[in-house]
Amino acid sequence: MEENDFLKSCYKEIKGIDSVYLHVNSACNLHCLGCYSYVENRNTRNELSFDEWKCVIDDLSLLGVKNIVISGGEPFLRKDLREICKYIKETVNGSLEVISNGTMNISDYEVVLPYIDALNISIDGYDDKTSFIRDKGIMKRVLDTVERLKEKIPIKLIVTLHKKNVPFMKEYENLAKKLGVFMSFSIFTVDFSEKIFEDYKFSEDDFVIVGDNITESENGTTILDTPTDVVGITYREGCGFGKKTISIAYNGDIYPCHMLHCQECKMGNIKHGRLKDIIDESDFEGNNILLDDIEELVLCQDLVQVKMRNFSPF
């Protein structure tokens, strides 16, 4: 298969950082179960200033980054989000998307729309009554936000999949179709050794259902953060974390992935040097991990329990 070019190495083509998550704040008005930004005193923590974010953005431009995603917390709680997005569009030659929970005032969204390419709305329910991991009673407002903005900006719904809502994947897809917007699924990624999450953990049968639904999707629904730019059989030596993608936290800490904001994976802090130097000099061992280095292959949701030779991020 290799001789006939059916197999293609995605890792060998990586040439520097391509995509970046910027977590411009940790503050949020919701209390979603398992949220990686749901940390102690999150609404009172010091965040990078606008000038500090400008320095980050300048460095991203020098690195040739093509895709930037702004997240939080809830980024629209920042009063200077418009200025941050405007500076990115003026400085970086690439796409800019923002992730929101969809509960902010319409005016807060409208002042930012001219400077972004898409608005991603994280949703929990598939109608205005259902909820699984997010605050109850918010879906009506979220759906109203989508209805009022969908003609002004491309909108993509992001649904976090877990055991409790896997049976309703078709309902989510029907909702997106009814609204006339795009949709992607994301996998609920937490430490399932914690008792609070045990009822949300996928079984093998659940993964089969997910695969069947994605394959049979009429709208091209995808799993977020999976490769969609190749056709045919592909193998990946690694996911590209820390090499192709990085994530910068509200306080300037740099991580290899937006789902790996843990102290063991920290690569440095933007306040202590130029971004390229920090990445090049990082001693984060995960940068060099390939699939061959993993002793036991497990499902992505069990990443916190994976056993690697010479490396254990959790």
Side-chain angles (χ1 to χ4, degrees):
M1 297 181 74
E2 280 187 285
E3 291 177 0
N4 290 281
D5 204 29
F6 278 102
L7 296 178
K8 179 181 179 182
S9 170
C10 296
Y11 230 41
K12 291 178 181 177
E13 296 183 357
I14 293 176
K15 297 179 181 179
I17 301 299
D18 179 66
S19 301
V20 177
Y21 271 75
L22 302 182
H23 300 263
V24 296
N25 62 353
S26 63
C28 189
N29 59 322
L30 299 185
H31 314 83
C32 306
L33 181 69
C35 177
Y36 53 76
S37 71
Y38 195 6
V39 292
E40 186 178 2
N41 300 322
R42 61 177 177 171
N43 289 339
T44 60
R45 295 193 170 199
N46 292 327
E47 299 157 352
L48 293 184
S49 67
F50 175 56
D51 286 338
E52 288 173 321
W53 278 118
K54 284 176 66 177
C55 291
V56 173
I57 294 162
D58 289 340
D59 281 358
L60 294 179
S61 178
L62 292 174
L63 288 173
V65 169
K66 298 300 182 184
N67 304 289
I68 296 178
V69 177
I70 289 181
S71 185
E74 169 50 56
F76 284 91
L77 287 176
R78 275 196 74 126
K79 301 303 182 184
D80 58 359
L81 181 63
R82 174 186 177 277
E83 285 67 34
I84 292 174
C85 292
K86 183 175 184 291
Y87 192 75
I88 289 174
K89 293 306 289 185
E90 292 172 345
T91 308
V92 179
N93 182 24
S95 67
L96 173 61
E97 301 185 12
V98 181
I99 299 176
S100 173
N101 60 36
T103 65
M104 299 292 101
N105 294 326
I106 294 298
S107 59
D108 294 332
Y109 292 113
E110 289 179 329
V111 298
V112 174
L113 296 188
Y115 306 104
I116 66 176
D117 298 293
L119 177 64
N120 297 334
I121 303 290
S122 299
I123 66 168
D124 187 33
Y126 50 83
D127 56 30
D128 62 2
K129 300 180 180 62
T130 54
S131 64
F132 297 96
I133 61 175
R134 292 177 178 261
D135 302 46
K136 295 183 182 299
I138 65 170
M139 272 301 293
K140 186 173 182 180
R141 184 170 184 177
V142 173
L143 294 176
D144 179 67
T145 296
V146 174
E147 287 282 11
R148 295 175 66 178
L149 295 180
K150 66 181 183 181
E151 302 300 330
K152 301 178 180 181
I153 189 78
I155 288 181
K156 179 169 65 179
L157 306 181
I158 301 177
V159 180
T160 301
L161 277 180
H162 45 75
K163 186 176 186 63
K164 291 190 176 185
N165 66 357
V166 162
F168 305 106
M169 288 182 70
K170 290 295 184 185
E171 281 80 353
Y172 285 113
E173 189 169 354
N174 290 337
L175 172 63
K177 185 176 181 179
K178 178 182 177 182
L179 291 170
V181 298
F182 302 102
M183 186 190 72
S184 289
F185 290 108
S186 178
I187 301 298
F188 192 49
T189 307
V190 295
D191 184 350
F192 285 100
S193 65
E194 296 186 26
K195 187 175 179 60
I196 191 173
F197 300 127
E198 62 183 15
D199 293 336
Y200 296 85
K201 184 176 181 179
F202 282 175
S203 66
E204 291 188 15
D205 289 341
D206 292 326
F207 274 107
V208 172
I209 294 173
V210 171
D212 288 343
N213 275 280
I214 295 298
T215 302
E216 297 169 3
S217 171
E218 297 178 357
N219 300 326
T221 302
T222 63
I223 298 292
L224 196 64
D225 296 331
T226 57
T228 58
D229 57 344
V230 292
V231 178
I233 302 173
T234 303
Y235 75 93
R236 297 173 67 85
E237 293 116 318
C239 68
F241 71 151
K243 287 193 173 184
K244 189 174 182 179
T245 67
I246 58 170
S247 181
I248 303 177
Y250 67 94
N251 61 354
D253 285 344
I254 304 167
Y255 299 95
C257 171
H258 63 288
M259 299 306 293
L260 289 175
H261 280 216
C262 56
Q263 189 62 31
E264 293 84 351
C265 294
K266 180 178 170 181
M267 302 170 68
N269 187 288
I270 194 63
K271 295 181 179 180
H272 302 152
R274 302 307 296 265
L275 184 55
K276 184 180 186 303
D277 294 336
I278 293 172
I279 294 172
D280 290 343
E281 297 169 7
S282 170
D283 59 0
F284 169 60
E285 296 181 45
N287 279 352
N288 300 312
I289 289 180
L290 304 179
L291 288 182
D292 289 342
D293 300 316
I294 300 177
E295 293 181 350
E296 179 182 356
L297 292 180
V298 295
L299 300 176
C300 287
Q301 65 165 343
D302 292 324
L303 180 61
V304 292
Q305 300 171 18
V306 74
K307 298 177 181 178
M308 299 179 178
R309 290 197 298 271
N310 303 320
F311 176 69
S312 179
F314 296 94

